Amino acid sequence: MRNRRRRSRAVLAVTLAAALGVTGCHALGGGSPAPKATKARPSPVWDRSPSSVAAVGDSITRGFDACSVLSDCPEVSWATGTSTQVDSLAVRLLGRERAEEYSWNYAQTGARMADLPDQMAQAAARRPQLVTVMAGANDACRSSTRAMTSVEDFRAEFEEALATLRRALPKTQVYVASVPNLKRLWSQGRTSPLGRQVWKLGICPSMLGDADDLDSAATVRRDKVQQRVKDYNKVLEEVCAKDRRCRFDGGAVYAYQFDTDQLSHWDWFHPSKDGQARLAAIAYRTVTAEGP
């Protein structure tokens, strides 16, 4: 009788152990595949809403001749201005109040690509999340076609400018605008008698000199300038493409079909306030696009 009770307890113990073993196996997921670990999504390389903007470049980015004759007018700059007539890139990205505090303009009237490394160094000191670049028109607008910046020098100078920024700020984004179409500028501005007179003062002689001269020599001269601008834009595109945090506008500024409404009526060369607004819109589309 005692042996039978011992055997019953032993059987009960084995049965409970087996039951607990099955339950424990299910609780630990032993009978099911382990859930896959969820990988954290890497942050995108290009931030479509940077929180600060610095600008480098030439007189276009300084708003030269957009407000008054022979004067910079940075408040209407396409890149960092605060004017309601333009709605600059900085205003569109940051809002008007933040744009006043978190955007900086280091462009200089008359600057060429060789001046950009120094401007980049100044901009880098602010640690902006986005730097805008518009330069090259003054490299083509020289006293003669022989005086234009060579394509090789233009490339080396632009590469140096980007390297200057990258040494200080490896992750700062760069928006690069194409060089405007200078031949279209000639064809539009020459319709104004005042424009032709102003150009005689020495504005972009390589393209705009002798504006009414249509002989073969003048045509060849203008075509050389136009080809140099195209070559500069190819350089900007190629160098920018090597930097994963750089976006070229795809030639949008060059291709824009501006008319006299977009030109300053002080010199018929620089953008008017309306022209500055068009440049801001092109930049904003490029910076906020999902892909380059």
Side-chain angles (χ1 to χ4, degrees):
M1 189 69 178
R2 188 176 298 164
N3 290 338
R4 192 178 302 146
R5 283 197 296 271
R6 286 177 183 162
R7 285 197 298 272
S8 297
R9 285 196 296 271
V11 170
L12 179 60
V14 170
T15 303
L16 285 171
L20 288 172
V22 171
T23 304
C25 209
H26 279 293
L28 295 173
S32 305
K36 293 182 179 179
T38 303
K39 290 183 179 180
R41 282 187 179 178
S43 57
V45 171
W46 186 265
D47 182 358
R48 296 161 63 193
S49 55
S51 60
S52 55
V53 180
V56 299
D58 56 29
S59 55
I60 295 177
T61 302
R62 291 298 298 175
F64 186 82
D65 269 3
C67 301
S68 58
V69 65
L70 299 178
S71 298
D72 287 350
C73 189
E75 58 266 32
V76 300
S77 167
W78 66 271
T80 59
T82 55
S83 169
T84 57
Q85 294 176 281
V86 173
D87 283 337
S88 70
L89 174 63
V91 167
R92 297 174 196 229
L93 290 172
L94 314 179
R96 202 167 306 281
E97 289 186 8
R98 284 185 60 82
E100 291 183 3
E101 186 174 357
Y102 295 102
S103 67
W104 309 277
N105 192 325
Y106 292 103
Q108 295 176 338
T109 293
R112 301 201 295 272
M113 186 56 77
D115 299 304
L116 243 65
D118 286 344
Q119 292 183 22
M120 279 290 197
Q122 294 178 64
R126 293 287 189 174
R127 306 192 68 79
Q129 291 193 358
L130 174 70
V131 173
T132 69
V133 176
M134 181 178 283
N138 289 327
D139 291 271
C141 284
R142 307 300 294 153
S143 58
S144 68
T145 56
R146 290 188 302 275
M148 293 188 297
T149 304
S150 71
V151 177
E152 294 75 17
D153 286 349
F154 188 85
R155 181 184 295 274
E157 291 157 1
F158 183 43
E159 288 175 339
E160 183 184 351
L162 280 183
T164 299
L165 178 69
R166 286 289 167 250
R167 283 192 291 271
L169 301 173
K171 295 184 178 180
T172 287
Q173 298 175 170
V174 181
Y175 162 75
V176 179
S178 49
V179 182
N181 187 331
L182 297 180
K183 194 169 185 180
R184 180 173 178 83
L185 191 153
W186 163 75
S187 68
Q188 292 294 308
R190 66 187 291 267
T191 62
S192 165
L194 176 60
R196 294 196 301 273
Q197 289 301 313
V198 172
W199 290 351
K200 290 178 181 179
L201 299 176
I203 297 177
C204 195
S206 55
M207 175 61 78
L208 306 181
D210 300 319
D212 286 329
D213 191 349
L214 302 178
D215 66 16
S216 59
T219 299
V220 168
R221 168 172 54 85
R222 294 184 192 107
D223 287 346
K224 283 183 179 179
V225 177
Q226 190 71 347
Q227 184 58 53
R228 187 61 55 91
V229 168
K230 291 179 181 178
D231 292 341
Y232 290 164
N233 282 332
K234 184 177 180 182
V235 167
L236 295 175
E237 181 175 20
E238 290 174 349
V239 174
C240 188
K242 296 176 183 177
D243 186 319
R244 59 203 299 255
R245 288 186 169 86
C246 182
R247 277 192 180 183
F248 180 59
D249 73 1
V253 169
Y254 176 86
Y256 180 69
Q257 298 292 300
F258 60 84
D259 57 33
T260 54
D261 287 341
Q262 282 83 56
L263 296 178
S264 164
H265 289 187
W266 296 109
D267 63 19
W268 302 88
F269 178 82
H270 290 90
S272 63
K273 293 174 185 176
D274 184 50
Q276 291 282 347
R278 306 303 174 96
L279 293 174
I282 290 171
Y284 182 73
R285 284 197 300 270
T286 305
V287 170
T288 60
E290 290 188 10

